[in-house]
Amino acid sequence: MNRDVFLNREECRRLFSGKEVFIFGAGVDAEQAEKDLSRYVDILAYIDNNRAGKGHFFCGKEIIGLKEALERREKRQPILVIVYRYAMEICDQLKEAGLFPGVDFFVWDDMHLFHYDENTIKYIDFLKKVWAPYKRERSERKVLLMFDNRHDLLSTIYAYCGNYFAEKYDAEICGYFRFGSGHANVSEVIRNIYRAFNVNTIIDPEPDERQEEEADRIFSDIWKNLSTWEDWKNITVYGISFGTTIVRNLLRMYIPDFDPKSEKMSSVLKKAIRTIVFWYHYIFENDIKIVLLADGVSWDGYIRDIAVTKGIPTYALEYKMAKMTLDFCDRPSYPYFKEMWKQLTPREQSEGLKWAKEHIKKRLQGGTEEVFYTNKNNFTFAEKKKSRRILEDNDKIKVMICPHIFEEDCYWCGEQIFDNNYFSWLCHLGELSNRTPDYDWYLKMHPFAQRRDMIILDRLLERYPRIKKIPSDVSPLQLKEEGVAYALTVYGTIGHEYPEIGIQVIHAGINPHSSFDFTWNPKTKEEYDDLIFRLGELEKKSDEEGLYQFYCLNYLYYDWEYIPYRTLFFENPLLAMDRLELQSHGRDLGTWKYGEYMKEWTEERHKKILSQMGDVFGKLDEWRPDLLYRRKEKVEE
């Protein structure tokens, strides 16, 4: 397509100012662009292939399907595609519908994915010079490495790790397109960045005819025996348990249906099986020496579970470095925290408890020193009391549901009671609300909820009207004062916040607090329900010492960046930050990172990083969840 189809911010403003437009996309990219676009265009609706539906809204506008958008497009209003990862696929879809690029539709390309800017041109030339001496010819032996349509310095991390293993195994580097995107979506700009550090090919993940037939047979066998979310969790293909991985990807990418056997869920499962079949054959039929994933969860999990099953060393490299296992979760260390406490010296324990008491007190007064960076601006303990009462003024037991963010991986700590599935958990709570007329049920949206979270939870509340939504910015202190006695989460941080103000927390799976006794940790659905039905009879949990032990282990002593990737590859701390962390610093991903990185690069540092690669991956191989990796040897006075 012509360059004129791809528009940066200023070109969009010049072309569409004062006009009506449709936006194709209802995800992170569209949300970022909307902040600028809404100031000068009239957005009629958002188009999305997966999130359209009655009552679904995004940034205050309806989410509709393409067919409905074309019916509404009476004045031939332009469609602006804002989905970087699937942009070319959507353009093809629009062309098949009879629309013309550069006339009927355009692509928002403020990130310069489909046309070059000066920083990118210089960065590609820079990479060619740095990595040309390490270039290898095509080989039967392969290093499999993630490719994503994004401008980010992850490409530098992939370059070091990919070329290290290519030399070690005398192998070529091959890329896989993350999230199962079609080969046609590959940005030539980003492709040339990967070529520059010796990625020979980007694998086309299109199954052949034999694989399509095999996928259809496997799907039919599974679908006829599938009726509950528990059945989804237990899905097995080729003897590998893929159920949890499928659920993780489903909840991170789609809006789930209440009926796990609906037509929509059928199409989601078909796509998952198709992906599994392709990658199973590719991995087992090729000589793959190493697999380098992005975060190693959700969609990446299909490749992870197959590679690990075959015995191929597999690692995650996106804003963390970790060795992969089947059903990998980010925080498998939490069940061992109580034992880790015993590994601290008496002085460390004494100073740690003192530190924890001081810092929890600050946290409950609104301090955000230990609050995750994306939540700092929305942390609610410091909120002033609302002028009006939030909860019903009666003597009923008040239960508050604290849902998680669907845009994030739903398997952060490991096994959960309700089928490793947030949505199954929430639906179960909805059913419990109907069976407990003597309770008042409330839902407090996560302070960092995304647009898709709101769609899913609004549908839930419509189905279960006994659950009332309360403002996300109301202070937990006010809710306690108004009578909230219990809060429900799967593994949220409320588990070490709310007990300190007198709200009892009930978890629904392995969580950061599992090994302590200051929250409730039922092990089965039956045990969970028994707790809920007996809330009026429960004795309060009281393990303040355990809470302080957890807090100082989690925030003071335990080293969550076992491999210090932030300083290993970069000197400027901004260069190691992801999109959300950058936003908390008033920045965004973009080609500016290339310019900053080239300023700090030196031949000496380059050789030093390469010389450390063997030790880095050796440490990853040795890592164990039951060991305490200390971040600090002592508390600084």
Side-chain angles (χ1 to χ4, degrees):
M1 287 187 290
N2 294 334
R3 161 69 179 87
D4 294 344
V5 177
F6 305 105
L7 307 176
N8 62 30
R9 191 177 304 248
E10 290 306 315
E11 290 166 335
C12 276
R13 188 188 301 271
R14 202 164 50 244
L15 195 60
F16 301 133
S17 188
K19 295 182 180 179
E20 297 177 330
V21 301
F22 289 92
I23 303 295
F24 203 129
V28 172
D29 299 327
E31 186 169 13
Q32 288 297 107
E34 186 271 346
K35 295 172 184 176
D36 182 72
L37 290 168
S38 60
R39 292 181 292 177
Y40 60 87
V41 301
D42 181 8
I43 300 172
L44 297 174
Y46 289 87
I47 308 167
D48 195 279
N49 291 324
N50 297 318
R51 301 178 181 183
K54 185 178 179 181
H56 294 187
F57 290 86
F58 182 83
C59 297
K61 303 287 184 176
E62 284 183 278
I63 305 176
I64 60 178
L66 178 58
K67 181 179 179 182
E68 185 177 351
L70 296 178
E71 292 170 353
R72 292 191 191 183
R73 194 172 165 263
E74 298 174 354
K75 301 176 184 177
R76 295 178 64 85
Q77 294 98 334
I79 295 173
L80 186 56
V81 178
I82 315 183
V83 190
Y84 285 131
R85 191 170 282 120
Y86 305 105
M88 296 299 95
E89 184 179 312
I90 290 170
C91 288
D92 289 341
Q93 183 183 355
L94 294 173
K95 285 191 284 187
E96 288 174 10
L99 303 184
F100 293 95
V103 177
D104 297 307
F105 69 87
F106 301 83
V107 176
W108 169 271
D109 191 29
D110 199 52
M111 292 287 286
H112 297 283
L113 291 179
F114 303 102
H115 66 286
Y116 292 90
D117 71 342
E118 186 176 347
N119 272 334
T120 305
I121 293 170
K122 290 180 178 178
Y123 183 58
I124 290 172
D125 288 341
F126 165 81
L127 289 175
K128 286 178 179 177
K129 292 174 184 175
V130 170
W131 295 107
Y134 307 89
K135 187 171 179 61
R136 315 190 81 75
E137 298 303 320
R138 294 190 179 275
S139 168
E140 293 298 315
R141 297 171 295 281
K142 302 181 188 301
V143 171
L144 187 60
L145 177 148
M146 190 281 284
F147 171 92
D148 199 2
N149 271 4
R150 284 288 188 276
H151 282 299
D152 195 3
L153 280 177
L154 288 171
S155 53
T156 286
I157 298 176
Y158 298 154
Y160 279 105
C161 298
N163 281 283
Y164 164 74
F165 282 115
E167 181 176 17
K168 179 176 180 178
Y169 293 110
D170 190 22
E172 68 168 329
I173 307 174
C174 300
Y176 76 90
F177 203 145
R178 197 178 176 200
F179 292 113
S181 181
H183 196 261
N185 288 313
V186 172
S187 154
E188 193 60 24
V189 175
I190 307 298
R191 177 71 184 93
N192 282 331
I193 290 174
Y194 280 67
R195 281 194 185 103
F197 66 83
N198 303 328
V199 176
N200 284 340
T201 186
I202 306 298
I203 298 159
D204 186 352
E206 193 65 28
D208 59 28
E209 186 176 346
R210 175 178 60 89
Q211 292 169 353
E212 290 278 16
E213 292 173 355
E214 186 177 338
D216 287 342
R217 288 195 303 273
I218 292 171
F219 167 79
S220 296
D221 288 342
I222 292 173
W223 188 249
K224 66 185 178 185
N225 296 312
L226 185 152
S227 58
T228 67
W229 287 120
E230 186 174 6
D231 295 334
W232 277 77
K233 178 191 172 185
N234 293 329
I235 290 172
T236 299
V237 184
Y238 302 124
I240 305 170
S241 295
F242 282 107
T244 295
T245 299
I246 293 172
V247 168
R248 291 165 84 168
N249 189 49
L250 160 66
L251 296 187
R252 197 172 187 180
M253 298 296 294
Y254 301 93
I255 295 173
D257 277 352
F258 291 102
D259 177 8
K261 201 174 172 66
S262 71
E263 183 178 345
K264 177 181 177 180
M265 293 297 95
S266 167
S267 66
V268 170
L269 182 59
K270 279 182 180 177
K271 189 172 183 179
I273 298 300
R274 196 169 179 263
T275 299
I276 289 168
V277 169
F278 173 84
W279 283 108
Y280 181 84
H281 283 283
Y282 186 88
I283 291 170
F284 271 85
E285 293 170 8
N286 284 280
D287 187 9
I288 297 174
K289 297 299 184 183
I290 210 84
V291 174
L292 303 175
L293 303 174
D295 58 11
V297 302
S298 301
W299 190 93
D300 278 16
Y302 298 128
I303 295 177
R304 175 201 68 217
D305 289 344
I306 296 168
V308 170
T309 297
K310 191 181 178 183
I312 301 171
T314 303
Y315 305 90
L317 301 179
E318 185 186 63
Y319 304 116
K320 68 181 177 190
M321 298 187 78
K323 178 79 175 283
M324 295 289 96
T325 58
L326 292 172
D327 279 344
F328 168 84
C329 68
D330 271 309
R331 297 292 169 97
S333 300
Y334 282 133
Y336 304 98
F337 257 36
K338 188 69 175 177
E339 289 302 312
M340 289 181 190
W341 175 256
K342 299 174 184 177
Q343 298 175 37
L344 298 174
T345 67
R347 182 181 176 185
E348 286 174 325
Q349 291 180 352
S350 175
E351 293 181 335
L353 290 175
K354 179 183 176 182
W355 181 92
K357 291 175 185 178
E358 293 172 352
H359 281 248
I360 288 178
K361 183 178 179 181
K362 290 178 184 177
R363 190 181 185 108
L364 300 184
Q365 292 172 343
T368 60
E369 187 175 342
E370 287 89 44
V371 176
F372 192 54
Y373 59 82
T374 58
N375 296 335
K376 287 183 185 292
N377 294 334
N378 297 308
F379 195 59
T380 56
F381 271 101
E383 290 292 323
K384 292 182 179 179
K385 184 176 179 179
K386 301 288 184 185
S387 58
R388 60 183 176 83
R389 185 179 175 89
I390 301 299
L391 309 183
E392 294 290 327
D393 190 1
N394 57 40
D395 294 331
K396 290 185 176 183
I397 293 174
K398 292 174 170 52
V399 184
M400 183 168 65
I401 302 167
C402 297
H404 298 266
I405 302 173
F406 284 91
E407 297 288 343
E408 296 178 353
D409 179 41
C410 74
Y411 194 73
W412 196 53
C413 296
E415 286 294 301
Q416 299 165 22
I417 293 172
F418 295 97
D419 316 312
N420 295 336
N421 183 330
Y422 289 165
F423 191 67
S424 174
W425 169 66
L426 288 168
C427 290
H428 188 80
L429 293 180
E431 296 299 330
L432 290 178
S433 73
N434 290 333
R435 298 169 60 190
T436 50
D438 51 338
Y439 295 179
D440 278 343
W441 289 79
Y442 299 95
L443 183 145
K444 186 176 184 285
M445 194 81 77
H446 193 286
F448 204 70
Q450 305 292 304
R451 302 291 178 178
R452 191 162 57 90
D453 297 305
M454 298 172 188
I455 294 171
I456 294 170
L457 294 173
D458 282 347
R459 293 180 67 207
L460 181 88
L461 296 173
E462 183 179 354
R463 186 179 181 91
Y464 300 106
R466 289 208 69 250
I467 304 173
K468 300 179 179 65
K469 183 162 71 172
I470 58 177
S472 63
D473 63 348
V474 62
S475 170
L477 295 168
Q478 179 175 348
L479 296 174
K480 165 62 180 172
E481 185 180 316
E482 294 187 12
V484 168
Y486 294 93
L488 310 180
T489 179
V490 177
Y491 54 67
T493 59
I494 67 166
H496 57 264
E497 295 164 347
Y498 286 15
E500 192 70 355
I501 64 171
I503 297 176
Q504 297 280 288
V505 175
I506 301 176
H507 290 291
I510 295 175
N511 62 81
H513 323 106
S514 292
S515 63
F516 298 93
D517 197 33
F518 53 85
T519 61
W520 295 90
N521 293 288
K523 300 293 190 294
T524 65
K525 294 177 183 178
E526 292 74 21
E527 208 180 314
Y528 188 91
D529 286 1
D530 181 62
L531 279 178
I532 298 298
F533 288 129
R534 295 191 301 108
L535 291 182
E537 308 166 17
L538 298 182
E539 294 184 12
K540 289 187 176 180
K541 290 281 186 181
S542 181
D543 180 20
E544 198 165 37
E545 178 92 354
L547 190 153
Y548 297 146
Q549 290 174 3
F550 164 79
Y551 201 88
C552 69
L553 273 168
N554 192 56
Y555 293 110
L556 180 64
Y557 287 128
Y558 194 89
D559 186 2
W560 292 111
E561 290 186 7
Y562 173 63
I563 300 296
Y565 73 90
R566 291 174 181 270
T567 54
L568 176 63
F569 296 100
F570 311 109
E571 293 181 352
N572 182 342
L574 290 174
L575 301 184
M577 292 183 186
D578 64 19
R579 178 180 60 84
L580 294 177
E581 193 171 6
L582 282 170
Q583 287 175 5
S584 71
H585 287 75
R587 304 296 294 268
D588 204 347
L589 291 177
T591 64
W592 64 270
K593 277 191 170 187
Y594 301 153
E596 294 301 314
Y597 175 69
M598 288 185 286
K599 288 178 188 175
E600 71 174 37
W601 186 92
T602 65
E603 182 73 30
E604 181 183 6
R605 183 170 170 81
H606 168 67
K607 290 179 178 177
K608 181 180 178 182
I609 293 171
L610 275 176
S611 70
Q612 293 175 311
M613 287 292 95
D615 289 340
V616 165
F617 285 97
K619 285 183 70 177
L620 290 177
D621 291 340
E622 295 168 358
W623 184 88
R624 287 169 45 186
D626 60 336
L627 294 183
L628 171 59
Y629 297 98
R630 283 175 168 80
R631 185 173 64 180
K632 295 183 179 180
E633 290 299 327
K634 63 178 183 177
V635 180
E636 296 177 3
E637 297 295 334

